[in-house]
Amino acid sequence: MADSDLANLSDQLALGAVLLYVVAMVGYALDLGFGRRRAGSAETERAEREAPAKVLVGTAGAETTETTETAKAAGAPAEGSEDDEPATERDWGRFAVLINVLGWGAHLGMLVTRGWAAERWPWGNMYEFLSAIAFAAVTAFLVVMARYKARFLGAFVMLAAVVALGVATIWLYTPVGPLVPALKSYWIAIHVSAAIVATGAFTVAGVSTVLYMLRSRRPAGETGGGTLALLPGADTLDRLAYKVTMFAFPIWTFAIIAGAIWADEAWGRYWGWDPKEIWSFVTWVIYAGYLHARATAGWKGRRAAVISLLAFAALLFNFFGVNYMFSGLHSYAG
Amino acid sequence: MTETRQAPAAEAVPQGREPRPRGLGVTGWLRWGWRQLTSMRTALILLFLVALGSVPGSILPQRGQAPERVVEYLDEHRTLGPWLDRLSLFDVFAAPWFAAIYILLFVSLAGCVIPRTRQHWRAMRSQPPAAPRVLSRLPQSARYETDRDAAEVLAEARRLLRGRRFRVADGDGSVAAEKGYLGEIGNLAFHLALLVLLFAVAAGALFGYRGNIVLTEGSGFANSLAYYDQFTPGRQFSPDRLAPFSLRLEDFRADYVKDGERRGQPLDYSATVHYRERPDAPEKTYDLRVNHPLAVGGAKIYLLNHGYAPRFTVRDGQGNVAYRGAMPFLPIETRTYTSEGVIKAPDARPEQLAFQAVFWPTAVADTRNKQVLSAFPAPLNPTVSLMTFKGDLGLDSGTPQSVYRIEGIGKTLQPVRGGARLLRQGETFTLPNGAGSITFDGTQEWISLSVNHDPGRLPALAAAVAAILGVIVSFMVRRRRLWVRATPGKGGRTVVEVGGLTLGNPTAEFEDVVAALRRDEPRAPTGSDDDTEE
Ligand code: HEM
């Protein structure tokens, strides 16, 4: 296939991915709305409150193996009650996951064909970079969903992915082309890939944190009140955000260090406080602040969440603000 | 459920919530101040200040990166500028207030981590703490009855826990076990590595140097101060740290996209250089490219920039050669490499000659505007336009002059009437009134190199790698304690209580242990899914 055909295919796959994500988003939203009864989510909440720190409450026999962990991880009523639900209601979730995975496949295809057409790693400009970040975010979500049964994040992550791909296609689109000499290095595979993976994971953590902020405005256990009540308990969201951040932080650290090694190779210094470096550092420092805040008793919950959101804002600013507002050495911008 | 990092029995980090000392005297206050400084909350605030303090460095131009833009900014903001300057806001990362923040942060870090290291060392060598009285109050607990007797249960527990690499200690009718010390070691290693990183960066800046040099094809330099166009030594630098290497540029090539939408976009730059590590060492050849620096004598040499150096021969009115050579021109537009420069011929007689020139690598006529343009950055049709001046160049006055500018136009130097001309490569322009001639002999290229010696580079890299490994380990391994108590119960049965405490999220291991202890029971609980250990 000619390079231009591949490039066209890539553009079409991008469109396909967006459409599938939109459908998946609707599916996840319906799943939240119908698949999860309010009572169910209130039940989770109650279970969490009543067994504040018991993972396993075993008395005399092994009857009560009901654990908060499972209830929480499911982000849903305990397994038993889900079985009671009519099949039609539960199917929205399965449907959404199926479409989501198809969309993910199209997204992957988009990146692969793009890289193939350009004969290089497909992250040499803002269009490619943002598309790859959206891909990393969806991937991180799929992993989190498989591991922690966090399907409730689906609608929101899909929304973020659709917005990102939309912005990339509408405003940042760049035809396939070669790299400028400064970007020709195997470090692009290492440094940029790490930054993409970390950013994708931070995005999922950010989504969870935003939901946590909304959810925790209500005193625990209060039912009623719109869609928020459909979400799992505030603690679940908070813990999920923390875990995903703990995954992303070392990768972000690695991305910064790999960037420094590359800068040493390309520009003759490993750290020169160029705007991109400054904001990566700021992001890193604020996330470190978040991890510290979580580790001390006094700063848990909403205050820690605010720090996490600040860090995420710095991350986004590093991507959009810095590239368009300041002139630096990072040559993929613009 | 909330994290229980600060376990009741664990070494608590000072929380900075102590009452202020009253009447404790100087040492009391000092101790109180030290505790405040090394508290987690202070660390948090200092981290924020570092982040906040870095931001102006990205908004305002910085002397370290773009001194000319600082001058420009000061020109444009005559009232605000000097105030910002007084606050070191054009030098944020060398500012005293920025140094104050990060030094406080690192003192706090040292004050926090070093005692913790000592504590951890002790904890690792002492027995796991004895079982608390009420195991059911712990974050993880289980209780069951069995027919086996207490000693048997405890022996089994000991064997099982040892097998799971717990450190085990016997209590009174109970067993205490602990493991996961590596997590804390990782955390400590991470923080200590940050300290090392800071020192490495500082040492590199103190003892290293950085210099810039422009070389045209065919020319070379030896690593000594005299050759550098610009040289920035560290505070502790001394010239004998300059390794005695020398280097010569043979040829520079640039590749560009030849057609299509991206015509003219650079694809690759490459410079063939020959170098000797020492004056008596054999000459070696290197292909110097972007992202591909040359390491020699502890320094690294980078290809930074390139441009054109057209070659001219100037003859004066008496027919003698007054100048011959290649003169570096500065690109005024990098897309097409239209460049400008000057040629000075102070040896010309009877009067000194100078030329102001614009160079187009691929000249084409822009018919609409009656102008010459460069259509491509490579030298496909090299052409210069010249403007001639004669008089006194002012080179004898003693003040140094830029090689890229002519000074004294209209004062000591007068434009030559009829002295403007477009020349293609190979052509000669005979100046009016027998003032001489100038020949455009050929086109060479120049490169600018950055020579950089930073002795802190490798230690900084090692520290950074240690930091990453440390933080990964600290996130993956959790310190956890587990206690088993067996007491005789009713009817000859034994009541077994198990309690677990994890510094961090509870792990599923607890349930596994309980399940294993109860293997012989009819309905052993299955462990809940593990969502803790990433
Ligand atoms: C240069 C600034 C610092 C950075 C970037 C930093 C970063 C981090 C990170 C990423 C963690 C998470 C690792 C983990 O949870 O195991 C952490 C944990 C920790 N940090 Fe720092 N830190 C800094 C300064 C400090 C200071 C000044 C203190 C003491 C006052 C401190 C005390 C701690 C403690 C006690 C933990 C462990 C919390 C826990 O997990 O129980 N750090 N730090």
PDB file of all heavy atoms in Angstrom, chain B residues 13 16 18 21 77-78 113 116 143 157 201 224 251 265 272 294 297 304 343 369 373 400 403 427 440 488:
ATOM      1  N   VAL B  13       5.688   9.704  61.630  1.00  0.00           N
ATOM      2  CA  VAL B  13       6.417  10.863  61.144  1.00  0.00           C
ATOM      3  C   VAL B  13       5.931  12.052  61.963  1.00  0.00           C
ATOM      4  O   VAL B  13       4.739  12.160  62.221  1.00  0.00           O
ATOM      5  CB  VAL B  13       6.086  11.085  59.662  1.00  0.00           C
ATOM      6  CG1 VAL B  13       6.854  12.259  59.130  1.00  0.00           C
ATOM      7  CG2 VAL B  13       6.376   9.841  58.886  1.00  0.00           C
ATOM      8  N   GLY B  16       3.975  17.887  63.140  1.00  0.00           N
ATOM      9  CA  GLY B  16       3.989  19.333  63.223  1.00  0.00           C
ATOM     10  C   GLY B  16       2.789  19.884  63.942  1.00  0.00           C
ATOM     11  O   GLY B  16       2.333  20.978  63.676  1.00  0.00           O
ATOM     12  N   GLU B  18       2.587  19.747  67.332  1.00  0.00           N
ATOM     13  CA  GLU B  18       2.888  19.833  68.757  1.00  0.00           C
ATOM     14  C   GLU B  18       2.584  21.218  69.277  1.00  0.00           C
ATOM     15  O   GLU B  18       2.654  22.179  68.530  1.00  0.00           O
ATOM     16  CB  GLU B  18       4.367  19.563  68.987  1.00  0.00           C
ATOM     17  CG  GLU B  18       4.742  18.166  68.634  1.00  0.00           C
ATOM     18  CD  GLU B  18       6.236  18.061  68.554  1.00  0.00           C
ATOM     19  OE1 GLU B  18       6.866  18.313  69.586  1.00  0.00           O
ATOM     20  OE2 GLU B  18       6.748  17.777  67.470  1.00  0.00           O
ATOM     21  N   PRO B  21       6.343  25.521  72.289  1.00  0.00           N
ATOM     22  CA  PRO B  21       6.998  25.427  73.593  1.00  0.00           C
ATOM     23  C   PRO B  21       6.829  26.729  74.363  1.00  0.00           C
ATOM     24  O   PRO B  21       6.821  27.801  73.770  1.00  0.00           O
ATOM     25  CB  PRO B  21       8.459  25.204  73.223  1.00  0.00           C
ATOM     26  CG  PRO B  21       8.608  25.803  71.878  1.00  0.00           C
ATOM     27  CD  PRO B  21       7.294  25.683  71.187  1.00  0.00           C
ATOM     28  N   HIS B  77       9.402  47.452  29.068  1.00  0.00           N
ATOM     29  CA  HIS B  77       8.710  47.669  30.344  1.00  0.00           C
ATOM     30  C   HIS B  77       9.620  48.459  31.261  1.00  0.00           C
ATOM     31  O   HIS B  77      10.290  47.887  32.117  1.00  0.00           O
ATOM     32  CB  HIS B  77       8.333  46.339  30.998  1.00  0.00           C
ATOM     33  CG  HIS B  77       7.487  45.470  30.132  1.00  0.00           C
ATOM     34  ND1 HIS B  77       7.998  44.677  29.137  1.00  0.00           N
ATOM     35  CD2 HIS B  77       6.135  45.282  30.107  1.00  0.00           C
ATOM     36  CE1 HIS B  77       6.998  44.027  28.538  1.00  0.00           C
ATOM     37  NE2 HIS B  77       5.866  44.380  29.102  1.00  0.00           N
ATOM     38  N   ARG B  78       9.609  49.774  31.080  1.00  0.00           N
ATOM     39  CA  ARG B  78      10.612  50.570  31.777  1.00  0.00           C
ATOM     40  C   ARG B  78      10.341  50.736  33.257  1.00  0.00           C
ATOM     41  O   ARG B  78      11.268  50.929  34.036  1.00  0.00           O
ATOM     42  CB  ARG B  78      10.771  51.927  31.114  1.00  0.00           C
ATOM     43  CG  ARG B  78      11.318  51.757  29.727  1.00  0.00           C
ATOM     44  CD  ARG B  78      11.987  52.992  29.225  1.00  0.00           C
ATOM     45  NE  ARG B  78      12.622  52.698  27.961  1.00  0.00           N
ATOM     46  CZ  ARG B  78      13.933  52.473  27.833  1.00  0.00           C
ATOM     47  NH1 ARG B  78      14.724  52.571  28.871  1.00  0.00           N
ATOM     48  NH2 ARG B  78      14.439  52.177  26.657  1.00  0.00           N
ATOM     49  N   VAL B 113      14.673  12.220  56.509  1.00  0.00           N
ATOM     50  CA  VAL B 113      15.042  10.903  55.993  1.00  0.00           C
ATOM     51  C   VAL B 113      16.158  10.258  56.809  1.00  0.00           C
ATOM     52  O   VAL B 113      16.131   9.052  57.048  1.00  0.00           O
ATOM     53  CB  VAL B 113      15.445  11.018  54.514  1.00  0.00           C
ATOM     54  CG1 VAL B 113      16.038   9.725  54.023  1.00  0.00           C
ATOM     55  CG2 VAL B 113      14.237  11.384  53.688  1.00  0.00           C
ATOM     56  N   ARG B 116      14.920   8.669  59.861  1.00  0.00           N
ATOM     57  CA  ARG B 116      14.093   7.527  59.474  1.00  0.00           C
ATOM     58  C   ARG B 116      14.948   6.340  59.033  1.00  0.00           C
ATOM     59  O   ARG B 116      14.590   5.188  59.244  1.00  0.00           O
ATOM     60  CB  ARG B 116      13.125   7.928  58.355  1.00  0.00           C
ATOM     61  CG  ARG B 116      11.763   8.294  58.904  1.00  0.00           C
ATOM     62  CD  ARG B 116      10.931   9.056  57.923  1.00  0.00           C
ATOM     63  NE  ARG B 116      11.075   8.552  56.576  1.00  0.00           N
ATOM     64  CZ  ARG B 116      10.109   7.944  55.904  1.00  0.00           C
ATOM     65  NH1 ARG B 116       8.948   7.738  56.467  1.00  0.00           N
ATOM     66  NH2 ARG B 116      10.297   7.551  54.677  1.00  0.00           N
ATOM     67  N   ARG B 143     -11.088 -14.809  62.991  1.00  0.00           N
ATOM     68  CA  ARG B 143     -11.179 -15.598  64.207  1.00  0.00           C
ATOM     69  C   ARG B 143     -11.889 -16.901  63.860  1.00  0.00           C
ATOM     70  O   ARG B 143     -12.883 -16.883  63.142  1.00  0.00           O
ATOM     71  CB  ARG B 143     -12.003 -14.784  65.212  1.00  0.00           C
ATOM     72  CG  ARG B 143     -12.199 -15.399  66.550  1.00  0.00           C
ATOM     73  CD  ARG B 143     -13.296 -14.589  67.248  1.00  0.00           C
ATOM     74  NE  ARG B 143     -13.986 -15.448  68.170  1.00  0.00           N
ATOM     75  CZ  ARG B 143     -13.637 -15.563  69.441  1.00  0.00           C
ATOM     76  NH1 ARG B 143     -12.661 -14.834  69.917  1.00  0.00           N
ATOM     77  NH2 ARG B 143     -14.282 -16.402  70.225  1.00  0.00           N
ATOM     78  N   ALA B 157       1.627 -21.926  62.306  1.00  0.00           N
ATOM     79  CA  ALA B 157       1.651 -20.522  61.895  1.00  0.00           C
ATOM     80  C   ALA B 157       3.093 -20.072  61.669  1.00  0.00           C
ATOM     81  O   ALA B 157       3.413 -19.395  60.686  1.00  0.00           O
ATOM     82  CB  ALA B 157       0.989 -19.646  62.954  1.00  0.00           C
ATOM     83  N   VAL B 201      24.103  17.914  40.610  1.00  0.00           N
ATOM     84  CA  VAL B 201      23.801  19.034  39.714  1.00  0.00           C
ATOM     85  C   VAL B 201      24.641  20.244  40.114  1.00  0.00           C
ATOM     86  O   VAL B 201      25.238  20.927  39.274  1.00  0.00           O
ATOM     87  CB  VAL B 201      22.296  19.360  39.757  1.00  0.00           C
ATOM     88  CG1 VAL B 201      22.008  20.652  39.014  1.00  0.00           C
ATOM     89  CG2 VAL B 201      21.499  18.218  39.157  1.00  0.00           C
ATOM     90  N   SER B 224      41.289  25.753  23.861  1.00  0.00           N
ATOM     91  CA  SER B 224      41.833  26.716  24.823  1.00  0.00           C
ATOM     92  C   SER B 224      40.961  27.957  24.749  1.00  0.00           C
ATOM     93  O   SER B 224      40.250  28.185  23.771  1.00  0.00           O
ATOM     94  CB  SER B 224      43.281  27.047  24.485  1.00  0.00           C
ATOM     95  OG  SER B 224      43.310  27.907  23.380  1.00  0.00           O
ATOM     96  N   ASP B 251      33.833  18.961   6.443  1.00  0.00           N
ATOM     97  CA  ASP B 251      32.719  19.113   5.530  1.00  0.00           C
ATOM     98  C   ASP B 251      31.423  19.083   6.316  1.00  0.00           C
ATOM     99  O   ASP B 251      31.284  18.327   7.266  1.00  0.00           O
ATOM    100  CB  ASP B 251      32.777  17.937   4.537  1.00  0.00           C
ATOM    101  CG  ASP B 251      31.630  17.993   3.545  1.00  0.00           C
ATOM    102  OD1 ASP B 251      31.275  19.112   3.153  1.00  0.00           O
ATOM    103  OD2 ASP B 251      31.099  16.920   3.194  1.00  0.00           O
ATOM    104  N   GLN B 265      12.028  21.622   4.271  1.00  0.00           N
ATOM    105  CA  GLN B 265      12.172  21.206   5.674  1.00  0.00           C
ATOM    106  C   GLN B 265      13.459  20.391   5.827  1.00  0.00           C
ATOM    107  O   GLN B 265      13.737  19.497   5.040  1.00  0.00           O
ATOM    108  CB  GLN B 265      10.980  20.353   6.107  1.00  0.00           C
ATOM    109  CG  GLN B 265      11.108  19.904   7.564  1.00  0.00           C
ATOM    110  CD  GLN B 265      10.026  18.908   7.973  1.00  0.00           C
ATOM    111  OE1 GLN B 265       8.858  19.085   7.678  1.00  0.00           O
ATOM    112  NE2 GLN B 265      10.438  17.852   8.664  1.00  0.00           N
ATOM    113  N   THR B 272      31.460  16.199   9.029  1.00  0.00           N
ATOM    114  CA  THR B 272      32.615  15.314   9.165  1.00  0.00           C
ATOM    115  C   THR B 272      33.730  16.096   9.837  1.00  0.00           C
ATOM    116  O   THR B 272      34.173  17.118   9.316  1.00  0.00           O
ATOM    117  CB  THR B 272      33.078  14.838   7.782  1.00  0.00           C
ATOM    118  OG1 THR B 272      31.949  14.268   7.122  1.00  0.00           O
ATOM    119  CG2 THR B 272      34.180  13.803   7.912  1.00  0.00           C
ATOM    120  N   LEU B 294      29.942  14.309  20.042  1.00  0.00           N
ATOM    121  CA  LEU B 294      31.257  13.674  20.120  1.00  0.00           C
ATOM    122  C   LEU B 294      31.786  13.834  21.545  1.00  0.00           C
ATOM    123  O   LEU B 294      31.827  14.937  22.080  1.00  0.00           O
ATOM    124  CB  LEU B 294      32.204  14.360  19.128  1.00  0.00           C
ATOM    125  CG  LEU B 294      33.698  14.097  19.292  1.00  0.00           C
ATOM    126  CD1 LEU B 294      34.029  12.645  19.033  1.00  0.00           C
ATOM    127  CD2 LEU B 294      34.496  14.987  18.341  1.00  0.00           C
ATOM    128  N   GLY B 297      37.900  13.761  25.667  1.00  0.00           N
ATOM    129  CA  GLY B 297      38.587  14.348  26.817  1.00  0.00           C
ATOM    130  C   GLY B 297      37.654  14.783  27.936  1.00  0.00           C
ATOM    131  O   GLY B 297      37.880  15.811  28.547  1.00  0.00           O
ATOM    132  N   LEU B 304      25.338  22.578  17.014  1.00  0.00           N
ATOM    133  CA  LEU B 304      24.208  23.415  17.409  1.00  0.00           C
ATOM    134  C   LEU B 304      23.512  24.031  16.215  1.00  0.00           C
ATOM    135  O   LEU B 304      22.299  24.052  16.130  1.00  0.00           O
ATOM    136  CB  LEU B 304      24.692  24.572  18.290  1.00  0.00           C
ATOM    137  CG  LEU B 304      24.956  24.337  19.747  1.00  0.00           C
ATOM    138  CD1 LEU B 304      25.086  25.679  20.437  1.00  0.00           C
ATOM    139  CD2 LEU B 304      23.857  23.517  20.389  1.00  0.00           C
ATOM    140  N   ILE B 343      31.992  41.934   4.584  1.00  0.00           N
ATOM    141  CA  ILE B 343      33.382  41.610   4.258  1.00  0.00           C
ATOM    142  C   ILE B 343      34.190  42.866   4.517  1.00  0.00           C
ATOM    143  O   ILE B 343      33.830  43.937   4.033  1.00  0.00           O
ATOM    144  CB  ILE B 343      33.533  41.183   2.786  1.00  0.00           C
ATOM    145  CG1 ILE B 343      32.603  40.013   2.492  1.00  0.00           C
ATOM    146  CG2 ILE B 343      34.973  40.832   2.442  1.00  0.00           C
ATOM    147  CD1 ILE B 343      31.572  40.329   1.465  1.00  0.00           C
ATOM    148  N   ASN B 369       7.546  41.723  -7.282  1.00  0.00           N
ATOM    149  CA  ASN B 369       8.083  42.766  -6.416  1.00  0.00           C
ATOM    150  C   ASN B 369       9.479  43.216  -6.829  1.00  0.00           C
ATOM    151  O   ASN B 369      10.119  43.967  -6.105  1.00  0.00           O
ATOM    152  CB  ASN B 369       8.113  42.269  -4.968  1.00  0.00           C
ATOM    153  CG  ASN B 369       6.708  41.994  -4.477  1.00  0.00           C
ATOM    154  OD1 ASN B 369       5.792  42.742  -4.791  1.00  0.00           O
ATOM    155  ND2 ASN B 369       6.546  40.910  -3.753  1.00  0.00           N
ATOM    156  N   LEU B 373      14.759  36.444  -4.227  1.00  0.00           N
ATOM    157  CA  LEU B 373      14.347  35.622  -3.095  1.00  0.00           C
ATOM    158  C   LEU B 373      15.189  34.356  -3.076  1.00  0.00           C
ATOM    159  O   LEU B 373      15.779  33.992  -4.089  1.00  0.00           O
ATOM    160  CB  LEU B 373      12.900  35.164  -3.262  1.00  0.00           C
ATOM    161  CG  LEU B 373      11.788  36.168  -3.138  1.00  0.00           C
ATOM    162  CD1 LEU B 373      10.472  35.462  -3.383  1.00  0.00           C
ATOM    163  CD2 LEU B 373      11.797  36.750  -1.731  1.00  0.00           C
ATOM    164  N   PRO B 400      36.892  46.643  20.214  1.00  0.00           N
ATOM    165  CA  PRO B 400      36.615  45.464  19.399  1.00  0.00           C
ATOM    166  C   PRO B 400      35.345  45.652  18.579  1.00  0.00           C
ATOM    167  O   PRO B 400      34.391  46.275  19.018  1.00  0.00           O
ATOM    168  CB  PRO B 400      36.451  44.354  20.424  1.00  0.00           C
ATOM    169  CG  PRO B 400      36.244  45.005  21.727  1.00  0.00           C
ATOM    170  CD  PRO B 400      36.782  46.391  21.647  1.00  0.00           C
ATOM    171  N   VAL B 403      32.302  40.972  13.821  1.00  0.00           N
ATOM    172  CA  VAL B 403      32.644  40.586  12.455  1.00  0.00           C
ATOM    173  C   VAL B 403      31.400  40.537  11.578  1.00  0.00           C
ATOM    174  O   VAL B 403      31.486  40.275  10.393  1.00  0.00           O
ATOM    175  CB  VAL B 403      33.343  39.207  12.399  1.00  0.00           C
ATOM    176  CG1 VAL B 403      34.687  39.262  13.081  1.00  0.00           C
ATOM    177  CG2 VAL B 403      32.464  38.132  12.992  1.00  0.00           C
ATOM    178  N   GLU B 427      31.456  35.020 -10.366  1.00  0.00           N
ATOM    179  CA  GLU B 427      31.533  36.305 -11.050  1.00  0.00           C
ATOM    180  C   GLU B 427      32.390  37.297 -10.268  1.00  0.00           C
ATOM    181  O   GLU B 427      32.557  37.179  -9.063  1.00  0.00           O
ATOM    182  CB  GLU B 427      30.127  36.887 -11.231  1.00  0.00           C
ATOM    183  CG  GLU B 427      29.292  36.094 -12.220  1.00  0.00           C
ATOM    184  CD  GLU B 427      27.890  36.682 -12.396  1.00  0.00           C
ATOM    185  OE1 GLU B 427      27.442  37.487 -11.541  1.00  0.00           O
ATOM    186  OE2 GLU B 427      27.247  36.311 -13.380  1.00  0.00           O
ATOM    187  N   PHE B 440      33.290  36.608  -6.176  1.00  0.00           N
ATOM    188  CA  PHE B 440      32.549  35.645  -5.349  1.00  0.00           C
ATOM    189  C   PHE B 440      33.046  34.259  -5.745  1.00  0.00           C
ATOM    190  O   PHE B 440      32.616  33.677  -6.720  1.00  0.00           O
ATOM    191  CB  PHE B 440      31.052  35.836  -5.630  1.00  0.00           C
ATOM    192  CG  PHE B 440      30.148  34.892  -4.895  1.00  0.00           C
ATOM    193  CD1 PHE B 440      30.590  34.125  -3.814  1.00  0.00           C
ATOM    194  CD2 PHE B 440      28.816  34.773  -5.266  1.00  0.00           C
ATOM    195  CE1 PHE B 440      29.744  33.266  -3.148  1.00  0.00           C
ATOM    196  CE2 PHE B 440      27.963  33.909  -4.606  1.00  0.00           C
ATOM    197  CZ  PHE B 440      28.429  33.162  -3.547  1.00  0.00           C
ATOM    198  N   PRO B 488      -6.957 -21.710  74.403  1.00  0.00           N
ATOM    199  CA  PRO B 488      -7.910 -22.811  74.586  1.00  0.00           C
ATOM    200  C   PRO B 488      -9.319 -22.274  74.778  1.00  0.00           C
ATOM    201  O   PRO B 488      -9.527 -21.275  75.474  1.00  0.00           O
ATOM    202  CB  PRO B 488      -7.426 -23.490  75.874  1.00  0.00           C
ATOM    203  CG  PRO B 488      -6.049 -22.964  76.108  1.00  0.00           C
ATOM    204  CD  PRO B 488      -5.960 -21.635  75.467  1.00  0.00           C
TER     205      PRO B 488
END
